[in-house]
Amino acid sequence: MTNNVLENKNIPQVAMEPMNDVHRDELAIVNALYAEMLEGNTNNITELCEQWLEHTKAHFDREKSMMEKYGFPAFHCHQEEHIKALQQLESIIQAWNDKHNLESLTTYVKETWPKWYVNHISTMDTVTSAFIKQSMLNE
């Protein structure tokens, strides 16, 4: 049995290596969080949740800036998905901070988030990174 939510090899790779690095960094935080959840280390869970939230905000802000800079045609669609995902993450973390309900956090971390993450990278990020990479080459 693995203590990881996902393995790096299971995350789709996109055209821009810096985006792949950000995706791997986020997965490392989530895997560390899940390991602490299995151990029941409340303080570490809280710290890692905050780290995850801050990383996600920075991740989405960087992508937003790049999409705006290069005029990505599906900007609004991609950005809307980021907004929804961030709201859900903030809600889950707020619920953890309020009640320390490990069950709902576990469901999100182990089931909801990995499915969304792989799908988002496979679809939105793959198309976005290819467009931005091509745009950069045309500068």
PDB file of all heavy atoms in Angstrom, residues 35-68:
ATOM      1  N   ALA A  35       0.122  11.661   3.860  1.00  0.00           N
ATOM      2  CA  ALA A  35       0.913  10.852   4.799  1.00  0.00           C
ATOM      3  C   ALA A  35       0.666  11.307   6.237  1.00  0.00           C
ATOM      4  O   ALA A  35       0.518  10.477   7.144  1.00  0.00           O
ATOM      5  CB  ALA A  35       2.399  10.930   4.453  1.00  0.00           C
ATOM      6  N   GLU A  36       0.598  12.611   6.444  1.00  0.00           N
ATOM      7  CA  GLU A  36       0.319  13.139   7.795  1.00  0.00           C
ATOM      8  C   GLU A  36      -1.116  12.815   8.225  1.00  0.00           C
ATOM      9  O   GLU A  36      -1.379  12.557   9.397  1.00  0.00           O
ATOM     10  CB  GLU A  36       0.555  14.646   7.847  1.00  0.00           C
ATOM     11  CG  GLU A  36       2.002  15.055   7.648  1.00  0.00           C
ATOM     12  CD  GLU A  36       2.960  14.511   8.697  1.00  0.00           C
ATOM     13  OE1 GLU A  36       2.563  14.334   9.870  1.00  0.00           O
ATOM     14  OE2 GLU A  36       4.125  14.261   8.339  1.00  0.00           O
ATOM     15  N   MET A  37      -2.023  12.822   7.270  1.00  0.00           N
ATOM     16  CA  MET A  37      -3.408  12.461   7.579  1.00  0.00           C
ATOM     17  C   MET A  37      -3.499  11.017   8.050  1.00  0.00           C
ATOM     18  O   MET A  37      -4.230  10.706   8.996  1.00  0.00           O
ATOM     19  CB  MET A  37      -4.295  12.691   6.350  1.00  0.00           C
ATOM     20  CG  MET A  37      -4.463  14.158   6.004  1.00  0.00           C
ATOM     21  SD  MET A  37      -5.149  14.436   4.356  1.00  0.00           S
ATOM     22  CE  MET A  37      -6.764  13.690   4.522  1.00  0.00           C
ATOM     23  N   LEU A  38      -2.751  10.137   7.398  1.00  0.00           N
ATOM     24  CA  LEU A  38      -2.750   8.725   7.794  1.00  0.00           C
ATOM     25  C   LEU A  38      -2.205   8.553   9.210  1.00  0.00           C
ATOM     26  O   LEU A  38      -2.624   7.659   9.935  1.00  0.00           O
ATOM     27  CB  LEU A  38      -1.926   7.890   6.810  1.00  0.00           C
ATOM     28  CG  LEU A  38      -2.509   7.743   5.407  1.00  0.00           C
ATOM     29  CD1 LEU A  38      -1.532   7.001   4.504  1.00  0.00           C
ATOM     30  CD2 LEU A  38      -3.849   7.022   5.439  1.00  0.00           C
ATOM     31  N   GLU A  39      -1.288   9.434   9.589  1.00  0.00           N
ATOM     32  CA  GLU A  39      -0.698   9.385  10.933  1.00  0.00           C
ATOM     33  C   GLU A  39      -1.529  10.149  11.963  1.00  0.00           C
ATOM     34  O   GLU A  39      -1.307  10.021  13.160  1.00  0.00           O
ATOM     35  CB  GLU A  39       0.725   9.966  10.902  1.00  0.00           C
ATOM     36  CG  GLU A  39       1.701   9.184  10.060  1.00  0.00           C
ATOM     37  CD  GLU A  39       1.968   7.786  10.607  1.00  0.00           C
ATOM     38  OE1 GLU A  39       2.038   7.631  11.844  1.00  0.00           O
ATOM     39  OE2 GLU A  39       2.078   6.854   9.794  1.00  0.00           O
ATOM     40  N   GLY A  40      -2.452  10.995  11.478  1.00  0.00           N
ATOM     41  CA  GLY A  40      -3.283  11.784  12.380  1.00  0.00           C
ATOM     42  C   GLY A  40      -2.567  12.954  13.025  1.00  0.00           C
ATOM     43  O   GLY A  40      -2.925  13.376  14.125  1.00  0.00           O
ATOM     44  N   ASN A  41      -1.541  13.480  12.359  1.00  0.00           N
ATOM     45  CA  ASN A  41      -0.758  14.604  12.902  1.00  0.00           C
ATOM     46  C   ASN A  41      -1.457  15.935  12.604  1.00  0.00           C
ATOM     47  O   ASN A  41      -1.177  16.589  11.613  1.00  0.00           O
ATOM     48  CB  ASN A  41       0.651  14.596  12.309  1.00  0.00           C
ATOM     49  CG  ASN A  41       1.434  13.363  12.718  1.00  0.00           C
ATOM     50  OD1 ASN A  41       1.247  12.836  13.806  1.00  0.00           O
ATOM     51  ND2 ASN A  41       2.305  12.891  11.848  1.00  0.00           N
ATOM     52  N   THR A  42      -2.349  16.322  13.483  1.00  0.00           N
ATOM     53  CA  THR A  42      -3.223  17.480  13.274  1.00  0.00           C
ATOM     54  C   THR A  42      -2.460  18.755  12.932  1.00  0.00           C
ATOM     55  O   THR A  42      -2.820  19.465  11.985  1.00  0.00           O
ATOM     56  CB  THR A  42      -4.108  17.701  14.510  1.00  0.00           C
ATOM     57  OG1 THR A  42      -4.832  16.493  14.767  1.00  0.00           O
ATOM     58  CG2 THR A  42      -5.086  18.831  14.285  1.00  0.00           C
ATOM     59  N   ASN A  43      -1.423  19.080  13.694  1.00  0.00           N
ATOM     60  CA  ASN A  43      -0.681  20.322  13.437  1.00  0.00           C
ATOM     61  C   ASN A  43      -0.022  20.316  12.069  1.00  0.00           C
ATOM     62  O   ASN A  43      -0.052  21.312  11.343  1.00  0.00           O
ATOM     63  CB  ASN A  43       0.371  20.578  14.522  1.00  0.00           C
ATOM     64  CG  ASN A  43      -0.254  20.949  15.842  1.00  0.00           C
ATOM     65  OD1 ASN A  43      -1.394  21.406  15.897  1.00  0.00           O
ATOM     66  ND2 ASN A  43       0.479  20.728  16.911  1.00  0.00           N
ATOM     67  N   ASN A  44       0.571  19.192  11.704  1.00  0.00           N
ATOM     68  CA  ASN A  44       1.209  19.083  10.388  1.00  0.00           C
ATOM     69  C   ASN A  44       0.172  19.148   9.270  1.00  0.00           C
ATOM     70  O   ASN A  44       0.440  19.712   8.211  1.00  0.00           O
ATOM     71  CB  ASN A  44       2.016  17.793  10.288  1.00  0.00           C
ATOM     72  CG  ASN A  44       3.224  17.794  11.206  1.00  0.00           C
ATOM     73  OD1 ASN A  44       3.584  18.817  11.780  1.00  0.00           O
ATOM     74  ND2 ASN A  44       3.840  16.647  11.357  1.00  0.00           N
ATOM     75  N   ILE A  45      -0.998  18.569   9.506  1.00  0.00           N
ATOM     76  CA  ILE A  45      -2.078  18.623   8.515  1.00  0.00           C
ATOM     77  C   ILE A  45      -2.463  20.076   8.262  1.00  0.00           C
ATOM     78  O   ILE A  45      -2.573  20.510   7.114  1.00  0.00           O
ATOM     79  CB  ILE A  45      -3.301  17.794   8.967  1.00  0.00           C
ATOM     80  CG1 ILE A  45      -2.954  16.302   8.975  1.00  0.00           C
ATOM     81  CG2 ILE A  45      -4.518  18.087   8.088  1.00  0.00           C
ATOM     82  CD1 ILE A  45      -3.997  15.425   9.658  1.00  0.00           C
ATOM     83  N   THR A  46      -2.642  20.820   9.315  1.00  0.00           N
ATOM     84  CA  THR A  46      -3.036  22.233   9.193  1.00  0.00           C
ATOM     85  C   THR A  46      -1.972  23.024   8.438  1.00  0.00           C
ATOM     86  O   THR A  46      -2.290  23.791   7.525  1.00  0.00           O
ATOM     87  CB  THR A  46      -3.293  22.839  10.584  1.00  0.00           C
ATOM     88  OG1 THR A  46      -4.346  22.093  11.209  1.00  0.00           O
ATOM     89  CG2 THR A  46      -3.705  24.300  10.483  1.00  0.00           C
ATOM     90  N   GLU A  47      -0.717  22.827   8.778  1.00  0.00           N
ATOM     91  CA  GLU A  47       0.379  23.538   8.102  1.00  0.00           C
ATOM     92  C   GLU A  47       0.445  23.176   6.619  1.00  0.00           C
ATOM     93  O   GLU A  47       0.619  24.047   5.770  1.00  0.00           O
ATOM     94  CB  GLU A  47       1.717  23.204   8.769  1.00  0.00           C
ATOM     95  CG  GLU A  47       1.909  23.852  10.123  1.00  0.00           C
ATOM     96  CD  GLU A  47       3.195  23.420  10.796  1.00  0.00           C
ATOM     97  OE1 GLU A  47       4.145  22.999  10.096  1.00  0.00           O
ATOM     98  OE2 GLU A  47       3.252  23.493  12.037  1.00  0.00           O
ATOM     99  N   LEU A  48       0.310  21.903   6.316  1.00  0.00           N
ATOM    100  CA  LEU A  48       0.380  21.468   4.916  1.00  0.00           C
ATOM    101  C   LEU A  48      -0.833  21.938   4.117  1.00  0.00           C
ATOM    102  O   LEU A  48      -0.711  22.250   2.936  1.00  0.00           O
ATOM    103  CB  LEU A  48       0.548  19.953   4.830  1.00  0.00           C
ATOM    104  CG  LEU A  48       1.963  19.481   5.161  1.00  0.00           C
ATOM    105  CD1 LEU A  48       1.975  17.986   5.472  1.00  0.00           C
ATOM    106  CD2 LEU A  48       2.928  19.801   4.022  1.00  0.00           C
ATOM    107  N   CYS A  49      -1.991  22.007   4.758  1.00  0.00           N
ATOM    108  CA  CYS A  49      -3.168  22.559   4.078  1.00  0.00           C
ATOM    109  C   CYS A  49      -2.918  24.012   3.681  1.00  0.00           C
ATOM    110  O   CYS A  49      -3.237  24.422   2.554  1.00  0.00           O
ATOM    111  CB  CYS A  49      -4.406  22.465   4.968  1.00  0.00           C
ATOM    112  SG  CYS A  49      -5.196  20.845   5.013  1.00  0.00           S
ATOM    113  N   GLU A  50      -2.348  24.782   4.581  1.00  0.00           N
ATOM    114  CA  GLU A  50      -2.050  26.183   4.274  1.00  0.00           C
ATOM    115  C   GLU A  50      -0.993  26.291   3.170  1.00  0.00           C
ATOM    116  O   GLU A  50      -1.096  27.133   2.273  1.00  0.00           O
ATOM    117  CB  GLU A  50      -1.602  26.928   5.529  1.00  0.00           C
ATOM    118  CG  GLU A  50      -2.724  27.128   6.534  1.00  0.00           C
ATOM    119  CD  GLU A  50      -3.959  27.784   5.929  1.00  0.00           C
ATOM    120  OE1 GLU A  50      -3.832  28.787   5.197  1.00  0.00           O
ATOM    121  OE2 GLU A  50      -5.079  27.292   6.179  1.00  0.00           O
ATOM    122  N   GLN A  51       0.009  25.437   3.228  1.00  0.00           N
ATOM    123  CA  GLN A  51       1.049  25.423   2.195  1.00  0.00           C
ATOM    124  C   GLN A  51       0.426  25.075   0.837  1.00  0.00           C
ATOM    125  O   GLN A  51       0.745  25.697  -0.183  1.00  0.00           O
ATOM    126  CB  GLN A  51       2.124  24.411   2.570  1.00  0.00           C
ATOM    127  CG  GLN A  51       3.310  24.388   1.631  1.00  0.00           C
ATOM    128  CD  GLN A  51       4.351  23.358   2.049  1.00  0.00           C
ATOM    129  OE1 GLN A  51       4.325  22.814   3.145  1.00  0.00           O
ATOM    130  NE2 GLN A  51       5.263  23.071   1.149  1.00  0.00           N
ATOM    131  N   TRP A  52      -0.459  24.097   0.827  1.00  0.00           N
ATOM    132  CA  TRP A  52      -1.138  23.681  -0.398  1.00  0.00           C
ATOM    133  C   TRP A  52      -1.979  24.824  -0.968  1.00  0.00           C
ATOM    134  O   TRP A  52      -1.927  25.116  -2.161  1.00  0.00           O
ATOM    135  CB  TRP A  52      -2.001  22.468  -0.091  1.00  0.00           C
ATOM    136  CG  TRP A  52      -2.706  21.843  -1.255  1.00  0.00           C
ATOM    137  CD1 TRP A  52      -2.450  22.028  -2.590  1.00  0.00           C
ATOM    138  CD2 TRP A  52      -3.774  20.902  -1.174  1.00  0.00           C
ATOM    139  NE1 TRP A  52      -3.309  21.252  -3.329  1.00  0.00           N
ATOM    140  CE2 TRP A  52      -4.127  20.558  -2.497  1.00  0.00           C
ATOM    141  CE3 TRP A  52      -4.463  20.321  -0.118  1.00  0.00           C
ATOM    142  CZ2 TRP A  52      -5.149  19.653  -2.779  1.00  0.00           C
ATOM    143  CZ3 TRP A  52      -5.471  19.421  -0.395  1.00  0.00           C
ATOM    144  CH2 TRP A  52      -5.803  19.097  -1.716  1.00  0.00           C
ATOM    145  N   LEU A  53      -2.704  25.491  -0.111  1.00  0.00           N
ATOM    146  CA  LEU A  53      -3.544  26.597  -0.554  1.00  0.00           C
ATOM    147  C   LEU A  53      -2.704  27.724  -1.148  1.00  0.00           C
ATOM    148  O   LEU A  53      -3.015  28.232  -2.229  1.00  0.00           O
ATOM    149  CB  LEU A  53      -4.400  27.108   0.605  1.00  0.00           C
ATOM    150  CG  LEU A  53      -5.361  28.243   0.284  1.00  0.00           C
ATOM    151  CD1 LEU A  53      -6.349  27.847  -0.806  1.00  0.00           C
ATOM    152  CD2 LEU A  53      -6.100  28.660   1.562  1.00  0.00           C
ATOM    153  N   GLU A  54      -1.634  28.096  -0.483  1.00  0.00           N
ATOM    154  CA  GLU A  54      -0.769  29.168  -0.992  1.00  0.00           C
ATOM    155  C   GLU A  54      -0.109  28.766  -2.315  1.00  0.00           C
ATOM    156  O   GLU A  54       0.008  29.568  -3.238  1.00  0.00           O
ATOM    157  CB  GLU A  54       0.284  29.555   0.052  1.00  0.00           C
ATOM    158  CG  GLU A  54      -0.306  30.244   1.275  1.00  0.00           C
ATOM    159  CD  GLU A  54      -1.229  31.400   0.919  1.00  0.00           C
ATOM    160  OE1 GLU A  54      -0.815  32.281   0.133  1.00  0.00           O
ATOM    161  OE2 GLU A  54      -2.370  31.433   1.417  1.00  0.00           O
ATOM    162  N   HIS A  55       0.331  27.524  -2.395  1.00  0.00           N
ATOM    163  CA  HIS A  55       0.945  27.027  -3.637  1.00  0.00           C
ATOM    164  C   HIS A  55      -0.063  27.072  -4.777  1.00  0.00           C
ATOM    165  O   HIS A  55       0.262  27.501  -5.889  1.00  0.00           O
ATOM    166  CB  HIS A  55       1.461  25.600  -3.431  1.00  0.00           C
ATOM    167  CG  HIS A  55       2.197  25.056  -4.613  1.00  0.00           C
ATOM    168  ND1 HIS A  55       1.551  24.511  -5.710  1.00  0.00           N
ATOM    169  CD2 HIS A  55       3.517  24.997  -4.891  1.00  0.00           C
ATOM    170  CE1 HIS A  55       2.444  24.136  -6.601  1.00  0.00           C
ATOM    171  NE2 HIS A  55       3.643  24.411  -6.129  1.00  0.00           N
ATOM    172  N   THR A  56      -1.278  26.650  -4.510  1.00  0.00           N
ATOM    173  CA  THR A  56      -2.321  26.626  -5.539  1.00  0.00           C
ATOM    174  C   THR A  56      -2.648  28.031  -6.022  1.00  0.00           C
ATOM    175  O   THR A  56      -2.793  28.268  -7.227  1.00  0.00           O
ATOM    176  CB  THR A  56      -3.581  25.910  -5.013  1.00  0.00           C
ATOM    177  OG1 THR A  56      -3.227  24.565  -4.654  1.00  0.00           O
ATOM    178  CG2 THR A  56      -4.685  25.888  -6.053  1.00  0.00           C
ATOM    179  N   LYS A  57      -2.759  28.965  -5.093  1.00  0.00           N
ATOM    180  CA  LYS A  57      -3.029  30.359  -5.478  1.00  0.00           C
ATOM    181  C   LYS A  57      -1.925  30.890  -6.385  1.00  0.00           C
ATOM    182  O   LYS A  57      -2.204  31.497  -7.427  1.00  0.00           O
ATOM    183  CB  LYS A  57      -3.156  31.243  -4.238  1.00  0.00           C
ATOM    184  CG  LYS A  57      -4.438  31.037  -3.464  1.00  0.00           C
ATOM    185  CD  LYS A  57      -4.441  31.931  -2.224  1.00  0.00           C
ATOM    186  CE  LYS A  57      -5.682  31.739  -1.388  1.00  0.00           C
ATOM    187  NZ  LYS A  57      -5.646  32.555  -0.163  1.00  0.00           N
ATOM    188  N   ALA A  58      -0.682  30.671  -6.007  1.00  0.00           N
ATOM    189  CA  ALA A  58       0.451  31.141  -6.816  1.00  0.00           C
ATOM    190  C   ALA A  58       0.467  30.446  -8.174  1.00  0.00           C
ATOM    191  O   ALA A  58       0.710  31.083  -9.207  1.00  0.00           O
ATOM    192  CB  ALA A  58       1.762  30.908  -6.065  1.00  0.00           C
ATOM    193  N   HIS A  59       0.206  29.151  -8.189  1.00  0.00           N
ATOM    194  CA  HIS A  59       0.152  28.346  -9.412  1.00  0.00           C
ATOM    195  C   HIS A  59      -0.894  28.924 -10.372  1.00  0.00           C
ATOM    196  O   HIS A  59      -0.607  29.199 -11.540  1.00  0.00           O
ATOM    197  CB  HIS A  59      -0.180  26.910  -8.988  1.00  0.00           C
ATOM    198  CG  HIS A  59      -0.543  25.962 -10.070  1.00  0.00           C
ATOM    199  ND1 HIS A  59      -0.998  24.704  -9.793  1.00  0.00           N
ATOM    200  CD2 HIS A  59      -0.560  26.046 -11.421  1.00  0.00           C
ATOM    201  CE1 HIS A  59      -1.259  24.048 -10.919  1.00  0.00           C
ATOM    202  NE2 HIS A  59      -1.006  24.850 -11.920  1.00  0.00           N
ATOM    203  N   PHE A  60      -2.087  29.139  -9.877  1.00  0.00           N
ATOM    204  CA  PHE A  60      -3.164  29.652 -10.716  1.00  0.00           C
ATOM    205  C   PHE A  60      -2.896  31.092 -11.164  1.00  0.00           C
ATOM    206  O   PHE A  60      -3.213  31.457 -12.297  1.00  0.00           O
ATOM    207  CB  PHE A  60      -4.502  29.560  -9.996  1.00  0.00           C
ATOM    208  CG  PHE A  60      -5.026  28.150  -9.813  1.00  0.00           C
ATOM    209  CD1 PHE A  60      -6.173  27.928  -9.074  1.00  0.00           C
ATOM    210  CD2 PHE A  60      -4.395  27.040 -10.370  1.00  0.00           C
ATOM    211  CE1 PHE A  60      -6.689  26.646  -8.898  1.00  0.00           C
ATOM    212  CE2 PHE A  60      -4.894  25.750 -10.193  1.00  0.00           C
ATOM    213  CZ  PHE A  60      -6.048  25.558  -9.457  1.00  0.00           C
ATOM    214  N   ASP A  61      -2.291  31.889 -10.295  1.00  0.00           N
ATOM    215  CA  ASP A  61      -1.959  33.276 -10.677  1.00  0.00           C
ATOM    216  C   ASP A  61      -0.940  33.308 -11.810  1.00  0.00           C
ATOM    217  O   ASP A  61      -1.049  34.116 -12.731  1.00  0.00           O
ATOM    218  CB  ASP A  61      -1.421  34.060  -9.474  1.00  0.00           C
ATOM    219  CG  ASP A  61      -2.505  34.478  -8.501  1.00  0.00           C
ATOM    220  OD1 ASP A  61      -3.715  34.405  -8.852  1.00  0.00           O
ATOM    221  OD2 ASP A  61      -2.149  34.874  -7.375  1.00  0.00           O
ATOM    222  N   ARG A  62       0.074  32.425 -11.747  1.00  0.00           N
ATOM    223  CA  ARG A  62       1.078  32.367 -12.818  1.00  0.00           C
ATOM    224  C   ARG A  62       0.431  31.967 -14.140  1.00  0.00           C
ATOM    225  O   ARG A  62       0.717  32.572 -15.174  1.00  0.00           O
ATOM    226  CB  ARG A  62       2.202  31.388 -12.463  1.00  0.00           C
ATOM    227  CG  ARG A  62       3.251  31.956 -11.532  1.00  0.00           C
ATOM    228  CD  ARG A  62       4.456  31.038 -11.402  1.00  0.00           C
ATOM    229  NE  ARG A  62       4.134  29.729 -10.875  1.00  0.00           N
ATOM    230  CZ  ARG A  62       4.033  29.419  -9.589  1.00  0.00           C
ATOM    231  NH1 ARG A  62       4.257  30.340  -8.678  1.00  0.00           N
ATOM    232  NH2 ARG A  62       3.740  28.198  -9.200  1.00  0.00           N
ATOM    233  N   GLU A  63      -0.417  30.966 -14.093  1.00  0.00           N
ATOM    234  CA  GLU A  63      -1.078  30.537 -15.324  1.00  0.00           C
ATOM    235  C   GLU A  63      -1.980  31.645 -15.865  1.00  0.00           C
ATOM    236  O   GLU A  63      -2.023  31.875 -17.076  1.00  0.00           O
ATOM    237  CB  GLU A  63      -1.886  29.253 -15.102  1.00  0.00           C
ATOM    238  CG  GLU A  63      -1.022  28.020 -15.079  1.00  0.00           C
ATOM    239  CD  GLU A  63      -1.817  26.724 -15.032  1.00  0.00           C
ATOM    240  OE1 GLU A  63      -3.005  26.701 -15.442  1.00  0.00           O
ATOM    241  OE2 GLU A  63      -1.242  25.727 -14.573  1.00  0.00           O
ATOM    242  N   LYS A  64      -2.690  32.322 -14.993  1.00  0.00           N
ATOM    243  CA  LYS A  64      -3.563  33.426 -15.424  1.00  0.00           C
ATOM    244  C   LYS A  64      -2.744  34.500 -16.130  1.00  0.00           C
ATOM    245  O   LYS A  64      -3.120  34.975 -17.212  1.00  0.00           O
ATOM    246  CB  LYS A  64      -4.289  34.026 -14.224  1.00  0.00           C
ATOM    247  CG  LYS A  64      -5.183  35.192 -14.578  1.00  0.00           C
ATOM    248  CD  LYS A  64      -5.841  35.791 -13.344  1.00  0.00           C
ATOM    249  CE  LYS A  64      -6.692  36.982 -13.737  1.00  0.00           C
ATOM    250  NZ  LYS A  64      -7.216  37.676 -12.568  1.00  0.00           N
ATOM    251  N   SER A  65      -1.623  34.866 -15.552  1.00  0.00           N
ATOM    252  CA  SER A  65      -0.762  35.892 -16.155  1.00  0.00           C
ATOM    253  C   SER A  65      -0.264  35.474 -17.529  1.00  0.00           C
ATOM    254  O   SER A  65      -0.256  36.278 -18.468  1.00  0.00           O
ATOM    255  CB  SER A  65       0.441  36.181 -15.251  1.00  0.00           C
ATOM    256  OG  SER A  65       0.015  36.755 -14.052  1.00  0.00           O
ATOM    257  N   MET A  66       0.144  34.227 -17.650  1.00  0.00           N
ATOM    258  CA  MET A  66       0.639  33.729 -18.941  1.00  0.00           C
ATOM    259  C   MET A  66      -0.489  33.692 -19.979  1.00  0.00           C
ATOM    260  O   MET A  66      -0.285  34.069 -21.136  1.00  0.00           O
ATOM    261  CB  MET A  66       1.238  32.331 -18.778  1.00  0.00           C
ATOM    262  CG  MET A  66       2.488  32.291 -17.915  1.00  0.00           C
ATOM    263  SD  MET A  66       3.896  33.063 -18.704  1.00  0.00           S
ATOM    264  CE  MET A  66       4.392  31.774 -19.817  1.00  0.00           C
ATOM    265  N   MET A  67      -1.661  33.244 -19.558  1.00  0.00           N
ATOM    266  CA  MET A  67      -2.788  33.185 -20.497  1.00  0.00           C
ATOM    267  C   MET A  67      -3.166  34.592 -20.976  1.00  0.00           C
ATOM    268  O   MET A  67      -3.443  34.793 -22.160  1.00  0.00           O
ATOM    269  CB  MET A  67      -3.999  32.494 -19.855  1.00  0.00           C
ATOM    270  CG  MET A  67      -3.815  31.001 -19.666  1.00  0.00           C
ATOM    271  SD  MET A  67      -5.321  30.127 -19.113  1.00  0.00           S
ATOM    272  CE  MET A  67      -5.512  30.725 -17.432  1.00  0.00           C
ATOM    273  N   GLU A  68      -3.140  35.548 -20.057  1.00  0.00           N
ATOM    274  CA  GLU A  68      -3.454  36.929 -20.430  1.00  0.00           C
ATOM    275  C   GLU A  68      -2.375  37.509 -21.340  1.00  0.00           C
ATOM    276  O   GLU A  68      -2.685  38.135 -22.356  1.00  0.00           O
ATOM    277  CB  GLU A  68      -3.607  37.799 -19.173  1.00  0.00           C
ATOM    278  CG  GLU A  68      -4.875  37.518 -18.406  1.00  0.00           C
ATOM    279  CD  GLU A  68      -4.973  38.290 -17.094  1.00  0.00           C
ATOM    280  OE1 GLU A  68      -3.923  38.562 -16.457  1.00  0.00           O
ATOM    281  OE2 GLU A  68      -6.093  38.605 -16.710  1.00  0.00           O
TER     282      GLU A  68
END
